[in-house]
Amino acid sequence: KGSPLSIPVEIHWDLFNTKNPLEKYAFRINTEEFWNSIEPVAVGTETGQVMSPENQVIYLCCHLLKESYADEKWTKDIDLVVRYYQDRIDWQELASRAARYKVRKTVWFALSYVNRFYGTRLPENLMESLGQTGPGSYERHIMQRLFRNKRIGRLRLLGLYLSAIETPIDRARALLGVGPYIVRRSAMMKRKFHFPEACRNPHERESSH
């Protein structure tokens, strides 16, 4: 009893912010295909829906880059999902989807990091299946920085995004678009929003009288 529980809900229309040119060109994931391969899951007495194991891994790897590798919970999520679905994940299918969505390097980098950090068991030929034989100098630098518990700064994050974008033309498009996007987003964040009286918290309305 007492006051009702208030749970904020953040609504997403897509898996990533496609208005952000870095996310738009780095994560070419087809959301519709993800919806078409969802699976049922029991949650208590109810039935929910979750991504397939392969899509969960791909999404979490991309989300880890989106979150700048800033919180261990994002890396731990990948480790736990791989361990839970270890015998169910079709790694060849995962690599095929990563290639189709042009996120092979992002998936490779995230799984390499999680493997080193948690000892997460991965197939021996997975990295080759993802088209990667080893980290470049920039990726090695970023990974060493992460292992020293240092956050990725904005410029380094930009470099990691650009290294994840597969084609030169898309890298150029992302670079050309990121400046105007930051300006527009900064302007939007500075705006003051005024909510109608009926939408305000009732406790705030009471205290204002």
Side-chain angles (χ1 to χ4, degrees):
K1 295 183 178 181
S3 60
L5 179 64
S6 176
I7 302 176
V9 176
E10 185 179 359
I11 298 175
H12 288 262
W13 300 109
D14 210 332
L15 292 171
F16 298 100
N17 178 10
T18 54
K19 292 184 179 180
N20 181 334
L22 293 177
E23 293 185 35
K24 177 181 178 180
Y25 293 108
F27 310 135
R28 296 284 197 151
I29 290 175
N30 186 318
T31 303
E32 191 66 28
E33 289 186 10
F34 269 45
W35 273 112
N36 291 337
S37 60
I38 56 176
E39 301 180 356
V41 60
V43 182
T45 58
E46 302 295 329
T47 300
Q49 295 175 327
V50 295
M51 299 178 188
S52 69
E54 296 79 18
N55 286 347
Q56 284 191 56
V57 173
I58 290 172
Y59 172 73
L60 289 171
C61 288
C62 294
H63 194 264
L64 184 59
L65 174 56
K66 177 179 176 291
E67 296 294 337
S68 311
Y69 282 71
D71 195 317
E72 188 180 340
K73 67 182 179 181
W74 305 118
T75 52
K76 189 60 180 175
D77 275 353
I78 299 173
D79 172 68
L80 291 173
V81 166
V82 171
R83 290 178 188 272
Y84 183 80
Y85 290 111
Q86 187 73 57
D87 297 326
R88 279 196 55 200
I89 296 176
D90 184 336
W91 291 103
Q92 283 301 121
E93 177 61 23
L94 186 150
S96 175
R97 293 181 192 180
R100 188 163 70 252
Y101 301 141
K102 300 185 184 301
V103 294
R104 290 180 298 176
K105 200 165 191 177
T106 298
V107 172
W108 165 82
F109 188 87
L111 289 177
S112 296
Y113 177 71
V114 171
N115 170 259
R116 287 183 58 185
F117 199 85
Y118 297 109
T120 312
R121 185 160 56 92
L122 300 171
E124 291 184 5
N125 64 341
L126 176 62
M127 299 311 164
E128 289 77 8
S129 298
L130 288 169
Q132 306 296 327
T133 56
S137 59
Y138 187 79
E139 287 83 4
R140 282 198 300 269
H141 170 73
I142 293 295
M143 198 171 290
Q144 289 168 1
R145 186 175 181 83
L146 288 169
F147 269 90
R148 293 197 299 269
N149 295 317
K150 292 186 177 182
R151 294 191 60 169
I152 303 177
R154 289 185 178 181
L155 288 178
R156 289 189 176 91
L157 180 63
L158 174 61
L160 191 56
Y161 260 108
L162 293 176
S163 72
I165 298 173
E166 291 195 357
T167 65
I169 187 65
D170 281 347
R171 289 191 205 107
R173 288 168 176 161
L175 273 175
L176 288 172
V178 71
Y181 170 77
I182 291 174
V183 172
R184 290 194 304 270
R185 183 165 178 81
S186 298
M188 182 186 70
M189 296 299 289
K190 290 178 181 178
R191 293 174 188 165
K192 294 182 178 179
F193 295 92
H194 300 281
F195 295 96
E197 183 72 13
C199 296
R200 292 174 57 191
N201 186 306
H203 299 293
E204 291 180 354
R205 293 204 302 270
E206 291 172 5
S207 63
S208 63
H209 294 308

